[in-house]
Amino acid sequence: MNSIIFKWNKYAACWECVLTDETVYIHKYPPAHTLVSIQKNEYINLHEVFDSLHAAHTYIGLRYNGDVRYRDPNEENHPRRDLLDLYI
């Protein structure tokens, strides 16, 4: 299984994962749902609405045969890199 790492896109206010030929976005969809958008060739091809974030993770994990994670802790620009270094 691959690791599917999402990073926060502050301009779009969503979680974003750039894959080889697709980009996956996770948005909060009011009032308590999660919207998953898949972009291919610069156009949004698919929208799916889920009841929970866990259901969205399961869908993405099965679709791309991977484990959904957020932010790479080894990333240089990690927002709290100073605290991460203290605890590792």
Side-chain angles (χ1 to χ4, degrees), residues 29-61:
Y29 192 70
H33 294 85
T34 302
L35 172 69
V36 174
S37 300
I38 299 174
Q39 177 181 345
K40 189 172 187 175
N41 299 329
E42 299 182 13
Y43 296 102
I44 300 292
N45 289 343
L46 177 68
H47 290 294
E48 293 285 338
V49 177
F50 296 94
D51 291 335
S52 67
L53 189 59
H54 178 70
H57 288 181
T58 304
Y59 171 78
I60 293 168

Side-chain angles (χ1 to χ4, degrees), residues 51-88:
D51 291 335
S52 67
L53 189 59
H54 178 70
H57 288 181
T58 304
Y59 171 78
I60 293 168
L62 290 174
R63 181 177 175 101
Y64 297 105
N65 191 25
D67 189 26
V68 175
R69 301 278 179 207
Y70 291 96
R71 292 193 191 129
D72 185 1
N74 297 321
E75 182 181 1
E76 291 298 320
N77 295 327
H78 194 276
R80 293 303 303 203
R81 182 72 186 170
D82 56 336
L83 290 178
L84 187 66
D85 290 335
L86 287 172
Y87 294 110
I88 292 180

